C-alpha cells in the first residue's frame, strides 16, 4: 500500500514536512542555531540531513503532543533558554548579569551544551547552572522518506524505524548521574532538557524519587521536559512547550537504576531451560 512520507517525517529544517522540500535552496540553514544544519547521514556524505522530528506510528488521529518525537537536540533551541532556565530553575538570588556560555568542556568532566551563569562586574563567574539537551536516537532509517519528500513522491511502503528509548536510559541517564555528582560537590545543579515522552519512558523503567521543589539542596539534577504542540503564531507549524520541572539527586537516580526489584528466580530458571532446549 502506498505510504505518505509526511506520516513518518514531521519536520524538515524547522518546518512541517511537505512534498518537494528543498533545504538546499537555503543552504541547509537551521533557523534555531542560525548556521548550516550539523546533522549528517551516511547516505548523503557531507551534505546536511535536516530532519528535526518524526511521527510515532499510531493508529489514533495524529496529535503532536503525543506523537511528534524530536530527533535533533538543536530543535530545542527554539526556546529562549536564558529566560526559561532563570524563570523555572534558578535556585539562587536573582542573577544581576545572566549570560550564556555554550559548549563548555573540561577534562575529567566532559561537556555540557551550555551554562547559564551570573557574571560579576569584574568578569568573574558567580552562581551558575549547566544545561544539557537530549533528543532520542532512532533504530532503522527514515532516509527513504526524506528522499521521497524531496522528490515529491509517495513510497511503496512505510519505512522501518523506531525510537531507541533504551539508549537514553542506558547512556544519557548514566552521564547525568556522573555530572549530577560533580554539580552536587560544586553546590549547584545540572538541568536536563528532554522531551516529556522520553522522560516518561525513563520513569517507567526506574521510578526514582522526584520533587517539584527544585530549590532544595538535595536536588542536583533538574528535569525540564517539553512536548511539541501546534504553534498558534505559525499555523501548521509546531513549537516546544514546557510540560514538567522536577528534580532529583544523583544518588536517587543511581539507586533506582541499580537496585530495581529483582525478577523472579524461577522465571530465570525457566529461561535457562529454554536456552538448553535450543541446543
Amino acid at each position: 500500500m502506498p505510504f505518505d512520507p509526511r506520516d513518518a517525517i514531521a519536520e524538515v529544517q524547522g518546518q512541517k514536512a511537505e512534498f518537494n522540500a528543498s533545504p538546499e535552496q537555503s543552504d541547509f540553514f537551521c533557523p534555531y542555531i542560525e548556521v548550516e544544519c550539523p546533522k549528517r547521514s551516511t547516505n548523503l556524505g557531507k551534505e546536511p540531513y535536516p530532519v528535526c522530528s518524526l511521527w510515532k506510528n499510531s493508529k489514533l488521529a495524529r496529535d503532536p503532543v503525543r506523537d511528534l518525537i524530536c530527533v535533533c537536540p538543536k530543535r530545542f533551541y527554539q526556546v529562549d533558554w536564558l529566560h526559561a532556565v532563570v524563570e523555572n530553575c534558578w535556585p539562587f538570588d536573582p542573577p544581576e548579569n545572566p549570560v550564556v556560555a555554550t559548549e563548555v568542556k573540561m577534562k575529567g568532566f566532559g561537556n555540557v551544551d551550555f551554562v547559564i551563569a551570573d557574571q560579576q562586574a569584574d568578569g568573574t563567574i558567580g552562581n551558575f547552572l549547566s544545561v544539557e539537551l537530549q533528543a532520542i536516537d532512532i533504530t532503522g532509517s527514515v532516509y527513504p522518506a526524506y528522499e521521497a519528500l524531496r522528490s515529491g513522491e509517495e513510497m511503496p511502503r512505510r519505512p522501518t524505524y523506531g525510537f531507541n528509548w533504551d539508549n537514553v536510559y542506558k547512556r544519557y541517564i548514566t552521564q547525568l548521574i556522573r555530572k549530577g555528582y560533580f554539580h552536587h560537590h560544586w553546590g549547584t545543579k545540572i538541568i536536563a532538557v528532554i522531551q516529556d515522552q522520553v522522560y516518561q519512558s525513563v520513569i517507567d523503567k526506574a521510578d526514582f524519587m522526584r520533587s517539584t521543589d527544585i530549590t532544595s539542596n538535595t536536588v542536583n539534577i533538574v528535569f525540564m521536559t517539553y512536548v511539541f504542540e501546534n504553534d498558534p503564531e505559525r499555523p501548521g507549524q509546531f513549537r516546544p512547550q514546557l510540560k514538567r520541572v522536577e528534580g532529583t539527586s544523583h544518588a536517587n537516580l543511581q539507586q533506582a537504576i541499580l537496585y530495581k526489584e529483582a525478577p523472579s528466580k524461577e522465571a530465570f530458571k525457566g529461561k535457562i531451560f529454554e536456552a538448553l532446549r535450543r541446543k
Side-chain angles (χ1 to χ4, degrees), residues 95-255:
E96 296 182 3
N97 181 35
V99 295
V100 180
T102 59
E103 294 294 332
V104 179
K105 302 178 182 180
M106 186 172 71
K107 185 177 181 180
F109 169 77
N111 67 285
V112 290
D113 290 301
F114 52 91
V115 174
I116 308 294
D118 191 9
Q119 189 170 29
Q120 308 303 301
D122 62 1
T124 59
I125 302 300
N127 292 317
F128 66 89
L129 295 173
S130 299
V131 182
E132 287 221 311
L133 311 177
Q134 179 64 36
I136 193 169
D137 300 324
I138 70 167
T139 57
S141 176
V142 293
Y143 177 74
Y146 176 65
E147 285 296 284
L149 280 177
R150 296 178 77 178
S151 62
E153 300 174 349
E154 289 193 327
M155 307 172 65
R157 65 187 65 84
R158 182 182 182 88
T160 302
Y161 69 94
F163 300 99
N164 199 347
W165 310 99
D166 286 342
N167 194 42
V168 174
Y169 179 75
K170 294 174 182 177
R171 180 175 57 83
Y172 180 59
I173 298 303
T174 299
Q175 293 176 4
L176 269 184
I177 292 170
R178 180 169 169 270
K179 291 176 181 177
Y181 170 74
F182 294 147
H183 284 74
H184 164 71
H185 281 274
W186 296 340
T188 186
K189 309 175 193 292
I190 184 168
I191 313 301
V193 176
I194 191 169
Q195 195 164 351
D196 195 71
Q197 294 96 318
V198 180
Y199 179 59
Q200 187 61 51
S201 76
V202 173
I203 294 172
D204 291 343
K205 288 183 172 67
D207 192 10
F208 52 90
M209 293 178 61
R210 303 179 300 283
S211 171
T212 55
D213 180 13
I214 55 89
T215 64
S216 170
N217 291 332
T218 62
V219 169
N220 50 55
I221 299 172
V222 178
F223 290 94
M224 290 183 75
T225 78
Y226 282 80
V227 295
F228 284 83
E229 64 179 12
N230 292 311
D231 190 341
E233 298 178 3
R234 301 185 305 152
Q237 307 298 328
F238 310 106
R239 70 177 183 184
Q241 177 65 37
L242 183 63
K243 177 73 172 180
R244 292 188 253 188
V245 178
E246 54 189 32
T248 190
S249 70
H250 67 282
N252 283 338
L253 197 53
Q254 182 179 40
Q255 184 172 7

Side-chain angles (χ1 to χ4, degrees), residues 59-77:
K59 295 181 180 179
L60 302 175
R62 207 162 57 190
D63 176 5
V65 171
R66 184 191 62 230
D67 301 324
L68 190 151
I69 304 295
C70 174
V71 293
C72 176
K74 305 302 183 187
R75 181 64 183 83
F76 288 115
Y77 276 76

